[in-house]
Amino acid sequence: MKFDANRPDLTIGVIGTGAMGRGIVQVAAAGGMNVLMTDSRPGAAQEARDFVEKMLTRAAEKGGMSREDVVSAMLRIGVVSSPAEMKPCHVVIEAIVENLEAKQQLFAELENVVSPDCILATNTSSLSVTTIGAKLKTPQRFAGLHFFNPVPLMKLVEVIDGLRTENWVSEALMVIGRRLTREPVRLTDAPGFLVNQVGRGFTLEAAHLAYEGVSGFADVDRVMRDVGGFRMGPFELMELTGLDVTHPASELIYNQFFQEPRYRPNLIMRARYEAGVLGRKSGKGFYDYDAEMKAIAPPEPAPPAAYPGHVWVSPAEHHGHAVLTELLKKMGASIETGPKPGANALILVTPIGDDATSCAVEQELDPKRTVAVDTLFPMAKRRTIMGTPVTDHVYRNAAHGLLASDGVPVTVCRDSPGFIAQRIVAMIVNIGCSIAQSRTAQPSDIDKAVTLGLNYPNGPFKFGDVLGAERIHRVLSSMYRIYGDPRYRPNIWLTRRARLGVSLLTQEP
Ligand code: NAI
């Protein structure tokens, strides 16, 4: 099929002009394309057109575009009364209600209206592109074009090949995505597509570890911001999106993957979803909210005024031992250098993936004096420590006081394989690798999509390469061994590259 995605008179149809549809209209018109828009609710398309005009005018006031450009963009937008008037379109993008039957019915109707080489695209966020297209007479020209909310601000667009989508269609949508001033990333149809799949690693692992009592919500958020470098913690993010969106999406992805344990939802999310404790929009979620709808985080306790007499650092983890010893020296701690800890010394271990209990038992250390310190991530902004279930509070306080003695906050969590950040980031990397392994998308595209679509500091592959594939593999293997839960089994893409000591971006020919 010959389709000229660069033609200057390209006309895009947008059906459904709610939050997403109007954003798509805005970027299409601003990008120089003609737009026809419609909505089943009378007056809705005109309202959306007025909204787009307001947005473009505001952009002009801020100097983002000229007033002449606003006028010509608005002249390119036409409101039509029904999909039956989409005949002139070269591409039609559907952004109606998220309902399979409604979408299938709309495309069946459209198929009889538009020309045979018109591309049909869905902006569905959670339904299968292949399934929506399955009832079409010509599923070959049907694909997913998944934008992010708010469209004008979110640069990413996922171009999704359904099982029967022909190459020319996705290639054309990649070009059109760029003409819409987005960054298109191509992938094959999969539950959660790309970004929403990776996002499960962040939110669900946080929910699992909170459910397990490792740490409170605010502490997990603090660690992921200060240690992991994320702009927002997982609970803050779920609150902002709302549990009415996050939880059903999680259940859907889990079930569409035939109950793949990696995507297993968690009860603390479902309970809130069912109780209407949804987050910011309901005034209560994992956090309480003040009158200005700002989340009220419980204050962090002041570090104890405690300090160890002597401290011994386990040499079992070479890197962790080196990093921690250097930090303790700067703090002026009295460090023992013998092969075994002295009788009363505070014992510090630096596990990658193990919990404090495993370290104490396997290294034959006194569990009452053992405290684990997370050294996988930079320790400049926050430190995470945990004891065994029998660590004496005197020793735990001494470790806390010592590690906070230069003014850097310390989070104390309960014993956990992989503390907080190690396990959450390892799950993100593992899911990224499973997407690459299934050939859903290219590794570099996965990283690009995740940084643009989720605002993470790194995509899964960059995280893996910066922290070390072998270490990420170790975190997952330890979790898998300690919990016996296939949720944590390392993906084979990750395992092979970790064993070979090569970058996670390494592709097989
Ligand atoms: P919305 O509720 O804001 O807008 C939907 C619009 O479609 C409404 O104006 C409604 O009147 C209209 N509509 C419903 N049925 C229709 C039909 N049969 N024919 C024509 N118009 C119809 O919803 P929103 O948030 O804009 O979502 C639209 C689609 O985009 C959904 O498939 C959603 O899953 C997807 N999406 C939503 C994102 C979000 O963050 N809101 C992100 C990415 C995708």
Side-chain angles (χ1 to χ4, degrees), residues 15-16 18-20 39-40 95-98 103 123 125 146-147 149:
I15 304 184
M20 297 304 288
D39 193 288
S40 59
I96 68 166
V97 61
E98 186 73 340
K103 287 186 194 285
N123 181 46
S125 51
H146 182 221
F147 293 85
N149 192 15

Side-chain angles (χ1 to χ4, degrees), residues 115-190:
S115 71
D117 56 352
C118 172
I119 292 176
L120 301 176
T122 176
N123 181 46
T124 181
S125 51
S126 60
L127 301 170
S128 154
V129 169
T130 302
T131 309
I132 298 174
K135 295 250 169 88
L136 285 175
K137 281 183 261 173
T138 52
Q140 302 85 336
R141 53 142 146 194
F142 179 74
L145 193 61
H146 182 221
F147 293 85
F148 291 79
N149 192 15
V151 178
L153 295 183
M154 298 296 289
K155 282 285 172 197
L156 178 69
V157 63
E158 292 178 330
V159 174
I160 304 143
D161 285 75
L163 192 78
R164 300 191 61 189
T165 307
E166 284 184 355
N167 192 39
W168 65 269
V169 174
S170 306
E171 277 185 357
L173 288 175
M174 291 294 286
V175 174
I176 293 165
R178 281 186 210 103
R179 286 188 69 185
L180 292 166
T181 60
R182 305 300 89 187
E183 290 275 354
V185 165
R186 188 163 167 187
L187 58 135
T188 50
D189 196 15

Side-chain angles (χ1 to χ4, degrees), residues 355-476:
D355 55 6
T357 299
S358 306
C359 292
V361 172
E362 281 154 27
Q363 297 175 42
E364 296 177 0
L365 303 168
D366 179 358
K368 293 195 179 77
R369 293 188 282 141
T370 300
V371 174
V373 184
D374 187 355
T375 54
L376 183 61
F377 292 87
M379 293 195 287
K381 279 176 96 175
R382 177 173 297 275
R383 289 146 199 169
T384 314
I385 64 171
M386 62 193 181
T388 73
V390 298
T391 299
D392 191 313
H393 71 277
V394 172
Y395 283 91
R396 195 179 49 240
N397 284 348
H400 188 168
L402 169 62
L403 284 160
S405 63
D406 58 355
V408 173
V410 172
T411 297
V412 184
C413 67
R414 294 207 179 84
D415 205 5
S416 155
F419 300 85
I420 294 170
Q422 286 187 16
R423 60 192 276 179
I424 292 178
V425 170
M427 285 304 277
I428 291 171
V429 177
N430 209 26
I431 291 174
C433 289
S434 76
I435 296 174
Q437 182 67 47
S438 62
R439 301 295 188 268
T440 298
Q442 295 286 330
S444 55
D445 281 345
I446 298 171
D447 271 2
K448 180 172 158 184
V450 167
T451 45
L452 287 174
L454 294 169
N455 279 324
Y456 290 180
N458 296 308
F461 294 86
K462 175 96 182 284
F463 256 132
D465 281 351
V466 168
L467 297 171
E470 184 272 331
R471 289 193 195 136
I472 296 291
H473 186 261
R474 250 198 296 156
V475 173
L476 291 161

